[in-house]
Amino acid sequence: QVQLVESGGGLVQAGASLRLSCAASGRTFSNYFMGWFRQAPGKDRDFVAAITRSGLNTYYADSVEGRFTISRDNAKNTLYLQMDSLKSEDTAVYYCAARGVFSTATMRTSDLYDYWGQGTQVTVSS
């Protein structure tokens, strides 16, 4: 089992920045491929970003490429999402997720992640 707890969400104005954190406990954090997803009201849970176990490779949704940065600190068992130039359409609940199997072909598929946090609300006012 891996327990994930997100933090860092809040209410900000368009153009501002936020940094989300996801603290992991339980099994060895560095064994897991990690991702961030988000879900806006009435919409599906969408892929935001993903990072390999070592942190050397990162992947982004087109909608956040160049504005968001995913990173991890395996020594601190923590995943991050730096969000810059926020837009109103970034408003959503943000979730971190972990999976034991790495696949760029399926990393955007939320159903294939094994563990999830409870989510943190990000609201961007225009």
Side-chain angles (χ1 to χ4, degrees), residues 7-48:
S7 61
L11 171 62
V12 296
Q13 291 188 333
S17 297
L18 276 176
R19 188 195 198 198
L20 304 184
S21 298
C22 172
S25 60
R27 294 187 176 178
T28 305
F29 177 65
S30 59
N31 287 345
Y32 291 87
F33 179 77
M34 300 297 296
W36 285 101
F37 289 77
R38 67 186 181 185
Q39 188 167 21
K43 295 188 177 182
D44 293 333
R45 189 170 296 188
D46 292 332
F47 171 79
V48 174

Side-chain angles (χ1 to χ4, degrees), residues 5-9 19-23 36 78-81 96 120:
V5 179
E6 302 95 335
S7 61
R19 188 195 198 198
L20 304 184
S21 298
C22 172
W36 285 101
T78 304
L79 175 73
Y80 303 100
L81 185 68
C96 64
T120 186

Side-chain angles (χ1 to χ4, degrees), residues 14-124:
S17 297
L18 276 176
R19 188 195 198 198
L20 304 184
S21 298
C22 172
S25 60
R27 294 187 176 178
T28 305
F29 177 65
S30 59
N31 287 345
Y32 291 87
F33 179 77
M34 300 297 296
W36 285 101
F37 289 77
R38 67 186 181 185
Q39 188 167 21
K43 295 188 177 182
D44 293 333
R45 189 170 296 188
D46 292 332
F47 171 79
V48 174
I51 188 167
T52 53
R53 296 179 181 90
S54 65
L56 291 179
N57 297 98
T58 57
Y59 309 87
Y60 298 94
D62 290 344
S63 59
V64 306
E65 180 84 53
R67 298 189 298 122
F68 290 11
T69 304
I70 187 172
S71 62
R72 66 192 296 166
D73 186 335
N74 287 339
K76 295 182 177 179
N77 295 335
T78 304
L79 175 73
Y80 303 100
L81 185 68
Q82 177 67 40
M83 305 186 295
D84 298 321
S85 303
L86 282 162
K87 304 176 181 179
S88 57
E89 51 263 45
D90 294 320
T91 295
V93 178
Y94 283 72
Y95 300 89
C96 64
R99 59 182 291 188
V101 176
F102 170 72
S103 170
T104 55
T106 61
M107 62 182 176
R108 292 172 173 79
T109 306
S110 59
D111 289 348
L112 296 180
Y113 283 73
D114 303 308
Y115 304 102
W116 290 86
Q118 83 290 347
T120 186
Q121 176 71 46
V122 172
T123 303
V124 184

